[in-house]
Amino acid sequence: MEKLIEILEDIQPDVDYKTCEDLIDGHYLDSLSIISLISEIEEEFDITVPAVEIIPDNFNSAKKIMAMINRLREE
Amino acid sequence: MPLSIILGAGKLVSMTSLFVPAFFALFLPFCIITYALVPKKLKKYFLLVASYGFFWFVSGTLVIYLAATTLSMHYFGIWLDYTQGKMKSAMSQAEKEIKKVVKKRYITRQRYIVLMAVSLNIGVLLLLKYSKFFTVNINDLLAFMKVPLVIEIPKYLLPIGISFFTLQSLSYIFDVYRGVTKADENLFRLALFLSFFPIIVEGPICRYNQIAEELWDAKPITYRNLTLGLQRFLFGMMKKIVIADRLNPFVKVIFKDYANYEGGVIAFAAVCYTVQLYMDFSGSMDAVLGVSQIFGITVPENFKRPFFSKSISEFWKRWHITLGMWFRDYVFYPITTSGKMKKLTASARKKIGNHYGPLVAGSIALFSVWICNGLWHGSAWNFVFFGMYHFALILCGNLISPVVKSFNHRFKINPQWFFYRLLQMVRTSVLVVIGELFFRAEGLKNGLQMFRKMITDFSFSSLNTDMLVKCGVDYLDFVIAGAILIIIFIISVLNEKGIEVRETLAKKNIFLRWGVYYILILIIVIFGAYGIGYAPVDPLYAQF
């Protein structure tokens, strides 16, 4: 989780990722941030994020992103 | 006598609009009453028959395209499902080392099935909608190269809503491929999803998971849904009949004879057209959502107060939302998350940083989205220009955003400051109006000349009562349209602040609620642009 928050802060600073629950709906992360984030987490966590996973529900909070990463790791 | 004539096929073309008496006074009440009377088990089949009947009335024998799309997508969906089942079974039996190979083999098969489905459906759309455009341009090119060959320009009749039901059917097949939804074995359920009559003409472009089950569930009509649905329908009708159709004669004349008017008048006509398009399309969407609500169906919103947008990028998240989401999910993200693009993003980020790095792959995907978006709206160069214009604006917005941020930081400007946001909204609206000028212009050449006049000859000297009369309007038309726009603006501000006006109204007593309905009806009856002096205006997005 800490590594993920580090990645997020690198991509888009000035957001409290520990508490924010509307990263997409609140427009904190735009489509370019998402492209960066996917590229980073794929490299860091050795996973592949298919386009179908890019829905607000998977990216609205750090917890949800981590849950998606864990799920993709298991698959 | 041919059967099609007997049954009135294609005879009610005017029913492309939900605001013509043939629809709201005959077809809709008939559907509501019959739907309410038929037994629960038959309601869904009645909706299907009514939807095909609607299509038949509007497009006649061209209904064959809708039926063929449905049959082909049903078949491809089942084929995909079968292949996915085989893949799971093969994967469970395969040794760990070769699982990846097995998976890859089956994924390739699935991709071929999707490719066939896309080629067939996009092929039909290209043939019917774009063959004339391509042939004319090939002939121009041949003439330019002095090749003595002229290809005959094909003429095809377009079934109503083909651009909408093609995208909707493609989203179904993509979602089956991506595992978002299961293939529907029930042909009738899929047919109802693709043909539901309120959405067939202008959308919104719905996803299978959003409405298919709800449609098939066919709940009884409730008092709440009926009244709220009618209320939304009337609100949409007011936007379309009182504002959009009232501005239409003026817009039509100025865009046709722009050479006789100054740039200021052209700019005013461009603003009027933008208002007309917004009121026409969002009004039609209100009607679609209202009618759907009557039958208990929740259709996704297509507008979210777009003129409160602070950037062009935000504008497209609030205007024709379902089209934007379609391109985002099925074009933008698949391109940016493809293997090569991911590598490009990773290496670009290391070289040019977090902001500009992803913009390299992002701009390639954005370009694809906007060329498709422009062409989707129509087969002409001004639509291509319209797409490229918005692509350039969004790209520029992304390119300069770090500079703007650092400027604001340096000069201690708070981006949340009201006047700053207001300025952003005005700037976005001006850029949108310029885009709509090219969108409405009769060809790219005319669009460019109109724009040039706006810059070089900006005056309003010919704008007077006589000129308005020549255009088929008078100043009262603008006063009425303006007054209703103020009401819509106030409602929009309240909605933007999170106050749900419809819900608030629904909680009020019966006298107030019905008072509002009667006021809406009176506004439409008294101020609506219909009857002598007004030609009926088809919904502007029905032509796309």
mmCIF file of all heavy atoms in Angstrom, chain B residues 282-319:
data_model
loop_
_atom_site.group_PDB
_atom_site.id
_atom_site.type_symbol
_atom_site.label_atom_id
_atom_site.label_comp_id
_atom_site.label_asym_id
_atom_site.label_seq_id
_atom_site.Cartn_x
_atom_site.Cartn_y
_atom_site.Cartn_z
ATOM 1 N N SER B 282 -30.726 18.165 -25.760
ATOM 2 C CA SER B 282 -30.969 17.836 -24.345
ATOM 3 C C SER B 282 -32.478 17.741 -24.090
ATOM 4 O O SER B 282 -32.922 16.938 -23.259
ATOM 5 C CB SER B 282 -30.312 18.866 -23.416
ATOM 6 O OG SER B 282 -31.005 20.083 -23.456
ATOM 7 N N GLY B 283 -33.275 18.528 -24.833
ATOM 8 C CA GLY B 283 -34.739 18.428 -24.705
ATOM 9 C C GLY B 283 -35.212 17.054 -25.159
ATOM 10 O O GLY B 283 -36.059 16.430 -24.513
ATOM 11 N N SER B 284 -34.655 16.589 -26.278
ATOM 12 C CA SER B 284 -35.013 15.254 -26.766
ATOM 13 C C SER B 284 -34.592 14.187 -25.757
ATOM 14 O O SER B 284 -35.301 13.194 -25.546
ATOM 15 C CB SER B 284 -34.345 14.979 -28.111
ATOM 16 O OG SER B 284 -34.820 15.881 -29.069
ATOM 17 N N MET B 285 -33.428 14.402 -25.132
ATOM 18 C CA MET B 285 -32.976 13.431 -24.118
ATOM 19 C C MET B 285 -33.896 13.436 -22.900
ATOM 20 O O MET B 285 -34.168 12.385 -22.307
ATOM 21 C CB MET B 285 -31.534 13.742 -23.681
ATOM 22 C CG MET B 285 -30.486 13.412 -24.708
ATOM 23 S SD MET B 285 -30.485 11.682 -25.221
ATOM 24 C CE MET B 285 -31.234 11.781 -26.815
ATOM 25 N N ASP B 286 -34.386 14.622 -22.512
ATOM 26 C CA ASP B 286 -35.352 14.693 -21.409
ATOM 27 C C ASP B 286 -36.583 13.861 -21.758
ATOM 28 O O ASP B 286 -37.121 13.136 -20.915
ATOM 29 C CB ASP B 286 -35.771 16.148 -21.146
ATOM 30 C CG ASP B 286 -34.678 16.946 -20.457
ATOM 31 O OD1 ASP B 286 -33.940 16.355 -19.658
ATOM 32 O OD2 ASP B 286 -34.552 18.153 -20.737
ATOM 33 N N ALA B 287 -37.025 13.987 -23.032
ATOM 34 C CA ALA B 287 -38.204 13.229 -23.469
ATOM 35 C C ALA B 287 -37.918 11.728 -23.439
ATOM 36 O O ALA B 287 -38.748 10.934 -22.979
ATOM 37 C CB ALA B 287 -38.607 13.662 -24.878
ATOM 38 N N VAL B 288 -36.731 11.348 -23.909
ATOM 39 C CA VAL B 288 -36.356 9.922 -23.934
ATOM 40 C C VAL B 288 -36.327 9.370 -22.505
ATOM 41 O O VAL B 288 -36.883 8.297 -22.221
ATOM 42 C CB VAL B 288 -34.964 9.744 -24.604
ATOM 43 C CG1 VAL B 288 -34.435 8.337 -24.386
ATOM 44 C CG2 VAL B 288 -35.044 10.057 -26.083
ATOM 45 N N LEU B 289 -35.688 10.134 -21.598
ATOM 46 C CA LEU B 289 -35.590 9.660 -20.218
ATOM 47 C C LEU B 289 -36.957 9.637 -19.550
ATOM 48 O O LEU B 289 -37.247 8.745 -18.745
ATOM 49 C CB LEU B 289 -34.606 10.520 -19.422
ATOM 50 C CG LEU B 289 -33.164 10.002 -19.491
ATOM 51 C CD1 LEU B 289 -32.439 10.471 -20.725
ATOM 52 C CD2 LEU B 289 -32.383 10.374 -18.254
ATOM 53 N N GLY B 290 -37.796 10.637 -19.900
ATOM 54 C CA GLY B 290 -39.142 10.686 -19.341
ATOM 55 C C GLY B 290 -39.989 9.509 -19.800
ATOM 56 O O GLY B 290 -40.611 8.828 -18.976
ATOM 57 N N VAL B 291 -39.996 9.253 -21.111
ATOM 58 C CA VAL B 291 -40.789 8.135 -21.641
ATOM 59 C C VAL B 291 -40.279 6.812 -21.060
ATOM 60 O O VAL B 291 -41.067 5.948 -20.662
ATOM 61 C CB VAL B 291 -40.731 8.114 -23.195
ATOM 62 C CG1 VAL B 291 -41.378 6.858 -23.747
ATOM 63 C CG2 VAL B 291 -41.409 9.350 -23.768
ATOM 64 N N SER B 292 -38.961 6.670 -20.990
ATOM 65 C CA SER B 292 -38.388 5.440 -20.431
ATOM 66 C C SER B 292 -38.824 5.269 -18.974
ATOM 67 O O SER B 292 -39.134 4.165 -18.533
ATOM 68 C CB SER B 292 -36.859 5.471 -20.512
ATOM 69 O OG SER B 292 -36.466 5.640 -21.845
ATOM 70 N N GLN B 293 -38.823 6.385 -18.237
ATOM 71 C CA GLN B 293 -39.218 6.312 -16.828
ATOM 72 C C GLN B 293 -40.662 5.846 -16.673
ATOM 73 O O GLN B 293 -40.974 5.107 -15.730
ATOM 74 C CB GLN B 293 -39.018 7.671 -16.140
ATOM 75 C CG GLN B 293 -39.315 7.583 -14.641
ATOM 76 C CD GLN B 293 -38.911 8.815 -13.866
ATOM 77 O OE1 GLN B 293 -38.561 9.848 -14.425
ATOM 78 N NE2 GLN B 293 -38.963 8.712 -12.548
ATOM 79 N N ILE B 294 -41.517 6.270 -17.603
ATOM 80 C CA ILE B 294 -42.920 5.837 -17.534
ATOM 81 C C ILE B 294 -42.984 4.306 -17.526
ATOM 82 O O ILE B 294 -43.755 3.688 -16.795
ATOM 83 C CB ILE B 294 -43.715 6.416 -18.733
ATOM 84 C CG1 ILE B 294 -43.844 7.937 -18.579
ATOM 85 C CG2 ILE B 294 -45.111 5.765 -18.830
ATOM 86 C CD1 ILE B 294 -44.442 8.638 -19.783
ATOM 87 N N PHE B 295 -42.120 3.674 -18.340
ATOM 88 C CA PHE B 295 -42.100 2.206 -18.406
ATOM 89 C C PHE B 295 -41.166 1.584 -17.348
ATOM 90 O O PHE B 295 -40.875 0.390 -17.400
ATOM 91 C CB PHE B 295 -41.678 1.750 -19.811
ATOM 92 C CG PHE B 295 -42.679 2.138 -20.870
ATOM 93 C CD1 PHE B 295 -42.458 3.243 -21.692
ATOM 94 C CD2 PHE B 295 -43.854 1.425 -21.029
ATOM 95 C CE1 PHE B 295 -43.390 3.624 -22.645
ATOM 96 C CE2 PHE B 295 -44.793 1.797 -21.984
ATOM 97 C CZ PHE B 295 -44.558 2.900 -22.797
ATOM 98 N N GLY B 296 -40.692 2.431 -16.436
ATOM 99 C CA GLY B 296 -39.868 1.935 -15.327
ATOM 100 C C GLY B 296 -38.422 1.677 -15.700
ATOM 101 O O GLY B 296 -37.707 0.954 -14.998
ATOM 102 N N ILE B 297 -37.960 2.256 -16.801
ATOM 103 C CA ILE B 297 -36.584 2.013 -17.264
ATOM 104 C C ILE B 297 -35.703 3.224 -16.949
ATOM 105 O O ILE B 297 -36.049 4.356 -17.310
ATOM 106 C CB ILE B 297 -36.532 1.756 -18.800
ATOM 107 C CG1 ILE B 297 -37.599 0.739 -19.223
ATOM 108 C CG2 ILE B 297 -35.139 1.335 -19.256
ATOM 109 C CD1 ILE B 297 -37.467 -0.612 -18.606
ATOM 110 N N THR B 298 -34.571 2.980 -16.295
ATOM 111 C CA THR B 298 -33.641 4.061 -15.987
ATOM 112 C C THR B 298 -32.561 4.101 -17.066
ATOM 113 O O THR B 298 -31.682 3.251 -17.114
ATOM 114 C CB THR B 298 -32.984 3.858 -14.604
ATOM 115 O OG1 THR B 298 -34.025 3.571 -13.673
ATOM 116 C CG2 THR B 298 -32.203 5.071 -14.169
ATOM 117 N N VAL B 299 -32.687 5.096 -17.926
ATOM 118 C CA VAL B 299 -31.729 5.265 -19.023
ATOM 119 C C VAL B 299 -30.659 6.252 -18.564
ATOM 120 O O VAL B 299 -30.976 7.209 -17.852
ATOM 121 C CB VAL B 299 -32.511 5.796 -20.268
ATOM 122 C CG1 VAL B 299 -31.575 6.290 -21.343
ATOM 123 C CG2 VAL B 299 -33.433 4.713 -20.811
ATOM 124 N N PRO B 300 -29.368 6.026 -18.936
ATOM 125 C CA PRO B 300 -28.326 6.952 -18.451
ATOM 126 C C PRO B 300 -28.492 8.376 -18.974
ATOM 127 O O PRO B 300 -28.952 8.579 -20.098
ATOM 128 C CB PRO B 300 -27.023 6.333 -18.994
ATOM 129 C CG PRO B 300 -27.433 5.418 -20.080
ATOM 130 C CD PRO B 300 -28.816 4.955 -19.757
ATOM 131 N N GLU B 301 -28.104 9.332 -18.138
ATOM 132 C CA GLU B 301 -28.178 10.756 -18.515
ATOM 133 C C GLU B 301 -27.170 11.028 -19.624
ATOM 134 O O GLU B 301 -26.081 10.436 -19.642
ATOM 135 C CB GLU B 301 -27.837 11.651 -17.315
ATOM 136 C CG GLU B 301 -28.826 11.577 -16.168
ATOM 137 C CD GLU B 301 -30.115 12.357 -16.416
ATOM 138 O OE1 GLU B 301 -30.146 13.155 -17.376
ATOM 139 O OE2 GLU B 301 -31.088 12.154 -15.669
ATOM 140 N N ASN B 302 -27.527 11.938 -20.524
ATOM 141 C CA ASN B 302 -26.619 12.273 -21.630
ATOM 142 C C ASN B 302 -26.056 13.686 -21.518
ATOM 143 O O ASN B 302 -25.171 14.057 -22.259
ATOM 144 C CB ASN B 302 -27.361 12.124 -22.966
ATOM 145 C CG ASN B 302 -26.509 11.445 -24.020
ATOM 146 O OD1 ASN B 302 -25.431 10.948 -23.725
ATOM 147 N ND2 ASN B 302 -26.978 11.434 -25.249
ATOM 148 N N PHE B 303 -26.609 14.477 -20.597
ATOM 149 C CA PHE B 303 -26.144 15.850 -20.393
ATOM 150 C C PHE B 303 -26.045 16.150 -18.904
ATOM 151 O O PHE B 303 -26.866 15.667 -18.125
ATOM 152 C CB PHE B 303 -27.120 16.865 -21.024
ATOM 153 C CG PHE B 303 -27.047 16.881 -22.524
ATOM 154 C CD1 PHE B 303 -27.853 16.051 -23.279
ATOM 155 C CD2 PHE B 303 -26.166 17.716 -23.160
ATOM 156 C CE1 PHE B 303 -27.777 16.054 -24.659
ATOM 157 C CE2 PHE B 303 -26.080 17.733 -24.546
ATOM 158 C CZ PHE B 303 -26.892 16.891 -25.289
ATOM 159 N N LYS B 304 -25.018 16.955 -18.565
ATOM 160 C CA LYS B 304 -24.887 17.372 -17.175
ATOM 161 C C LYS B 304 -24.446 18.831 -17.168
ATOM 162 O O LYS B 304 -23.306 19.143 -16.915
ATOM 163 C CB LYS B 304 -23.850 16.484 -16.468
ATOM 164 C CG LYS B 304 -23.908 16.531 -14.971
ATOM 165 C CD LYS B 304 -22.820 15.642 -14.397
ATOM 166 C CE LYS B 304 -22.584 15.955 -12.946
ATOM 167 N NZ LYS B 304 -21.353 15.323 -12.444
ATOM 168 N N ARG B 305 -25.346 19.693 -17.530
ATOM 169 C CA ARG B 305 -25.110 21.141 -17.554
ATOM 170 C C ARG B 305 -23.745 21.504 -18.165
ATOM 171 O O ARG B 305 -22.854 22.049 -17.497
ATOM 172 C CB ARG B 305 -25.234 21.696 -16.127
ATOM 173 C CG ARG B 305 -26.586 21.380 -15.510
ATOM 174 C CD ARG B 305 -26.654 21.636 -14.051
ATOM 175 N NE ARG B 305 -25.821 20.774 -13.252
ATOM 176 C CZ ARG B 305 -26.107 19.514 -12.937
ATOM 177 N NH1 ARG B 305 -27.211 18.954 -13.347
ATOM 178 N NH2 ARG B 305 -25.277 18.799 -12.198
ATOM 179 N N PRO B 306 -23.585 21.223 -19.476
ATOM 180 C CA PRO B 306 -22.263 21.369 -20.127
ATOM 181 C C PRO B 306 -21.691 22.773 -20.122
ATOM 182 O O PRO B 306 -20.465 22.937 -20.134
ATOM 183 C CB PRO B 306 -22.529 20.896 -21.569
ATOM 184 C CG PRO B 306 -23.999 20.970 -21.757
ATOM 185 C CD PRO B 306 -24.613 20.729 -20.419
ATOM 186 N N PHE B 307 -22.570 23.815 -20.077
ATOM 187 C CA PHE B 307 -22.020 25.169 -20.161
ATOM 188 C C PHE B 307 -21.501 25.688 -18.818
ATOM 189 O O PHE B 307 -21.100 26.843 -18.715
ATOM 190 C CB PHE B 307 -23.034 26.115 -20.831
ATOM 191 C CG PHE B 307 -23.179 25.775 -22.287
ATOM 192 C CD1 PHE B 307 -24.197 24.929 -22.723
ATOM 193 C CD2 PHE B 307 -22.240 26.217 -23.202
ATOM 194 C CE1 PHE B 307 -24.286 24.563 -24.060
ATOM 195 C CE2 PHE B 307 -22.322 25.857 -24.541
ATOM 196 C CZ PHE B 307 -23.353 25.020 -24.978
ATOM 197 N N PHE B 308 -21.462 24.823 -17.813
ATOM 198 C CA PHE B 308 -20.761 25.158 -16.573
ATOM 199 C C PHE B 308 -19.345 24.572 -16.592
ATOM 200 O O PHE B 308 -18.648 24.599 -15.583
ATOM 201 C CB PHE B 308 -21.513 24.621 -15.349
ATOM 202 C CG PHE B 308 -22.801 25.360 -15.060
ATOM 203 C CD1 PHE B 308 -23.928 24.691 -14.632
ATOM 204 C CD2 PHE B 308 -22.861 26.735 -15.196
ATOM 205 C CE1 PHE B 308 -25.122 25.364 -14.362
ATOM 206 C CE2 PHE B 308 -24.042 27.430 -14.935
ATOM 207 C CZ PHE B 308 -25.174 26.740 -14.511
ATOM 208 N N SER B 309 -18.943 24.023 -17.750
ATOM 209 C CA SER B 309 -17.612 23.402 -17.848
ATOM 210 C C SER B 309 -16.516 24.459 -17.838
ATOM 211 O O SER B 309 -16.646 25.515 -18.446
ATOM 212 C CB SER B 309 -17.500 22.600 -19.143
ATOM 213 O OG SER B 309 -18.528 21.662 -19.222
ATOM 214 N N LYS B 310 -15.410 24.098 -17.164
ATOM 215 C CA LYS B 310 -14.298 25.043 -17.078
ATOM 216 C C LYS B 310 -13.230 24.770 -18.135
ATOM 217 O O LYS B 310 -12.264 25.507 -18.251
ATOM 218 C CB LYS B 310 -13.705 25.006 -15.663
ATOM 219 C CG LYS B 310 -14.713 25.505 -14.606
ATOM 220 C CD LYS B 310 -14.185 25.452 -13.209
ATOM 221 C CE LYS B 310 -14.109 24.062 -12.644
ATOM 222 N NZ LYS B 310 -15.400 23.342 -12.553
ATOM 223 N N SER B 311 -13.385 23.666 -18.857
ATOM 224 C CA SER B 311 -12.445 23.361 -19.940
ATOM 225 C C SER B 311 -13.181 22.537 -20.995
ATOM 226 O O SER B 311 -14.258 21.985 -20.725
ATOM 227 C CB SER B 311 -11.252 22.560 -19.408
ATOM 228 O OG SER B 311 -11.704 21.283 -18.999
ATOM 229 N N ILE B 312 -12.572 22.441 -22.177
ATOM 230 C CA ILE B 312 -13.189 21.655 -23.253
ATOM 231 C C ILE B 312 -13.234 20.180 -22.851
ATOM 232 O O ILE B 312 -14.209 19.474 -23.124
ATOM 233 C CB ILE B 312 -12.393 21.841 -24.574
ATOM 234 C CG1 ILE B 312 -12.608 23.264 -25.095
ATOM 235 C CG2 ILE B 312 -12.810 20.827 -25.625
ATOM 236 C CD1 ILE B 312 -14.020 23.570 -25.582
ATOM 237 N N SER B 313 -12.189 19.755 -22.182
ATOM 238 C CA SER B 313 -12.136 18.365 -21.724
ATOM 239 C C SER B 313 -13.331 18.061 -20.810
ATOM 240 O O SER B 313 -13.997 17.030 -20.942
ATOM 241 C CB SER B 313 -10.815 18.172 -20.982
ATOM 242 O OG SER B 313 -10.633 16.862 -20.682
ATOM 243 N N GLU B 314 -13.590 18.995 -19.887
ATOM 244 C CA GLU B 314 -14.735 18.821 -18.980
ATOM 245 C C GLU B 314 -16.049 18.906 -19.742
ATOM 246 O O GLU B 314 -17.005 18.175 -19.449
ATOM 247 C CB GLU B 314 -14.702 19.887 -17.870
ATOM 248 C CG GLU B 314 -15.749 19.639 -16.787
ATOM 249 C CD GLU B 314 -15.840 20.778 -15.777
ATOM 250 O OE1 GLU B 314 -14.973 21.669 -15.781
ATOM 251 O OE2 GLU B 314 -16.817 20.766 -14.987
ATOM 252 N N PHE B 315 -16.094 19.777 -20.740
ATOM 253 C CA PHE B 315 -17.319 19.947 -21.548
ATOM 254 C C PHE B 315 -17.763 18.596 -22.126
ATOM 255 O O PHE B 315 -18.941 18.244 -22.092
ATOM 256 C CB PHE B 315 -17.059 20.958 -22.676
ATOM 257 C CG PHE B 315 -18.229 21.153 -23.604
ATOM 258 C CD1 PHE B 315 -19.260 22.019 -23.268
ATOM 259 C CD2 PHE B 315 -18.330 20.451 -24.802
ATOM 260 C CE1 PHE B 315 -20.359 22.198 -24.117
ATOM 261 C CE2 PHE B 315 -19.415 20.621 -25.657
ATOM 262 C CZ PHE B 315 -20.430 21.500 -25.304
ATOM 263 N N TRP B 316 -16.793 17.837 -22.639
ATOM 264 C CA TRP B 316 -17.136 16.557 -23.261
ATOM 265 C C TRP B 316 -17.458 15.467 -22.250
ATOM 266 O O TRP B 316 -17.814 14.363 -22.614
ATOM 267 C CB TRP B 316 -16.052 16.135 -24.250
ATOM 268 C CG TRP B 316 -16.196 16.943 -25.507
ATOM 269 C CD1 TRP B 316 -15.457 18.044 -25.861
ATOM 270 C CD2 TRP B 316 -17.176 16.788 -26.534
ATOM 271 N NE1 TRP B 316 -15.915 18.563 -27.046
ATOM 272 C CE2 TRP B 316 -16.961 17.812 -27.489
ATOM 273 C CE3 TRP B 316 -18.213 15.878 -26.758
ATOM 274 C CZ2 TRP B 316 -17.753 17.943 -28.638
ATOM 275 C CZ3 TRP B 316 -18.982 16.016 -27.906
ATOM 276 C CH2 TRP B 316 -18.753 17.031 -28.816
ATOM 277 N N LYS B 317 -17.257 15.787 -20.961
ATOM 278 C CA LYS B 317 -17.719 14.844 -19.931
ATOM 279 C C LYS B 317 -19.149 15.183 -19.523
ATOM 280 O O LYS B 317 -19.774 14.480 -18.740
ATOM 281 C CB LYS B 317 -16.803 14.899 -18.708
ATOM 282 C CG LYS B 317 -15.476 14.223 -18.970
ATOM 283 C CD LYS B 317 -14.529 14.401 -17.804
ATOM 284 C CE LYS B 317 -13.149 13.933 -18.199
ATOM 285 N NZ LYS B 317 -12.091 14.692 -17.544
ATOM 286 N N ARG B 318 -19.641 16.337 -20.024
ATOM 287 C CA ARG B 318 -20.995 16.779 -19.645
ATOM 288 C C ARG B 318 -21.944 16.852 -20.847
ATOM 289 O O ARG B 318 -23.124 17.049 -20.676
ATOM 290 C CB ARG B 318 -20.915 18.184 -19.020
ATOM 291 C CG ARG B 318 -20.256 18.246 -17.651
ATOM 292 C CD ARG B 318 -19.991 19.713 -17.345
ATOM 293 N NE ARG B 318 -19.534 19.977 -15.995
ATOM 294 C CZ ARG B 318 -20.314 20.422 -15.023
ATOM 295 N NH1 ARG B 318 -21.591 20.629 -15.244
ATOM 296 N NH2 ARG B 318 -19.827 20.677 -13.831
ATOM 297 N N TRP B 319 -21.411 16.775 -22.053
ATOM 298 C CA TRP B 319 -22.220 16.906 -23.284
ATOM 299 C C TRP B 319 -22.161 15.570 -24.014
ATOM 300 O O TRP B 319 -21.077 15.053 -24.268
ATOM 301 C CB TRP B 319 -21.642 18.037 -24.139
ATOM 302 C CG TRP B 319 -22.261 18.184 -25.509
ATOM 303 C CD1 TRP B 319 -22.043 17.377 -26.590
ATOM 304 C CD2 TRP B 319 -23.175 19.194 -25.963
ATOM 305 N NE1 TRP B 319 -22.760 17.813 -27.670
ATOM 306 C CE2 TRP B 319 -23.471 18.931 -27.329
ATOM 307 C CE3 TRP B 319 -23.776 20.307 -25.358
ATOM 308 C CZ2 TRP B 319 -24.329 19.727 -28.079
ATOM 309 C CZ3 TRP B 319 -24.625 21.089 -26.127
ATOM 310 C CH2 TRP B 319 -24.898 20.810 -27.455
#
